[in-house]
Amino acid sequence: MVELKTEESINEMRAPGRVVAQALAAVREAARVGVSLLELDETARAVLAGAGASSPFLGYRPQFAPVPFPGVICASVNDAIVHGVPDGYRLRDGDLVSIDCGAKLGGWVGDAAVSFTVGRPRPADVRLIETAEAALAAGIAAARPGNRIGDIAHAIGTVCRSAGYGIMEDFGGHGVGRTMHEDPGVPNEGRPGRGMQLRPGMVLAIEPMLIAGGTDEYRCDGDGWTLRTVDGSRAAHAEHTIAITAAGPRILTAL
């Protein structure tokens, strides 16, 4: 069931969205060679605590997970696509890092992700990240009343496939509201004109996940959470929570 949010509710959802944006900015600033993923998690925790927000990630345990998630960020490095568990790994020169973060404030949730490089970037990583961001922008642009879920999926998939990248199977965007994962699902590839019609009041997390090697396959680490590319190639993840309004899409997780 899809809950349509009122204009007042969408305005309220901007608060947790802003906290997520601040946390991601702080983590990106702190991400330097030698810094551990646990230290990045602590950075995000401090931002959430300072805003009086809680984490929808911490303790989250869907059916596939053997244990609750232990962090407030997902920290995925190099060939890790999503759901990376923050641990003692220390960042190295040239690492590609994807950080996913959520915040709950005032009963509402915000969810966003960003990818960046640490130290000297590889040109191939820069292109991968730029394409993920372009795919996200294309998906957001398609999130207009009267369009359909398939239009968002098609816009994202066209950007990714045209650049020669793979698209992670089985995972995509989702509705956001009182909880982190709500209906409807938002695939990262699909046919235009298909799926649920988009209406004002829908709030969606749109999140392309790109695999540099061109395959769509992934594998799960022994931690039960971290999803990695099968071919060992690098991955990038970009995400915003957006509201569909009569005037067009409104990004709720921007600074």
Side-chain angles (χ1 to χ4, degrees):
M1 181 177 177
V2 176
E3 177 192 0
L4 297 180
K5 280 72 174 179
T6 64
E7 182 177 356
E8 180 182 5
S9 294
I10 291 172
N11 288 336
E12 291 174 353
M13 291 187 73
R14 181 70 178 105
R18 188 178 291 110
V19 174
V20 169
Q22 292 167 346
L24 289 174
V27 168
R28 185 168 188 165
E29 176 65 24
R32 303 177 185 276
V33 173
V35 173
S36 75
L37 301 183
L38 280 172
E39 289 171 321
L40 297 184
D41 190 70
E42 289 298 328
T43 296
R45 287 175 189 251
V47 173
L48 267 62
S54 61
S55 170
F57 288 19
L58 184 62
Y60 180 60
R61 188 180 182 184
Q63 289 184 344
F64 67 79
V67 295
F69 194 77
V72 303
I73 61 170
C74 295
S76 307
V77 180
N78 296 332
D79 64 332
I81 312 167
V82 289
H83 302 167
V85 175
D87 57 17
Y89 176 84
R90 294 192 177 276
L91 295 173
R92 302 170 184 172
D93 186 47
D95 277 347
L96 193 167
V97 183
S98 297
I99 302 293
D100 194 351
C101 184
K104 188 166 187 178
L105 185 64
W108 297 105
V109 171
D111 184 13
V114 64
S115 293
F116 53 85
T117 55
V118 175
R120 292 168 293 183
R122 299 181 183 184
D125 290 345
V126 173
R127 178 174 177 266
L128 179 65
I129 292 168
E130 288 177 345
T131 304
E133 293 172 346
L136 174 60
I140 292 172
R144 295 181 175 277
N147 279 356
R148 294 184 177 272
I149 292 290
D151 295 309
I152 298 176
H154 178 71
I156 293 170
T158 297
V159 173
C160 299
R161 296 299 189 190
S162 296
Y165 297 130
I167 299 171
M168 188 182 184
E169 294 179 334
D170 308 320
F171 285 85
H174 48 88
V176 181
R178 296 287 183 182
T179 62
M180 181 167 55
H181 292 126
E182 298 184 354
D183 291 333
V186 186
N188 285 327
E189 189 170 34
R191 297 178 63 181
R194 297 295 184 92
M196 182 180 292
Q197 188 169 46
L198 304 178
R199 299 168 59 190
M202 294 174 71
V203 177
L204 308 173
I206 298 175
E207 50 177 326
M209 295 165 249
L210 280 62
I211 298 174
T215 178
D216 297 350
E217 299 175 325
Y218 61 90
R219 62 178 178 84
C220 187
D221 274 3
D223 61 20
W225 279 101
T226 307
L227 302 181
R228 296 186 184 276
T229 62
V230 169
D231 61 5
S233 66
R234 295 192 169 195
H237 179 200
E239 178 183 17
H240 270 308
T241 297
I242 64 105
I244 296 173
T245 76
R250 178 184 177 189
I251 300 175
L252 302 177
T253 46
L255 278 174

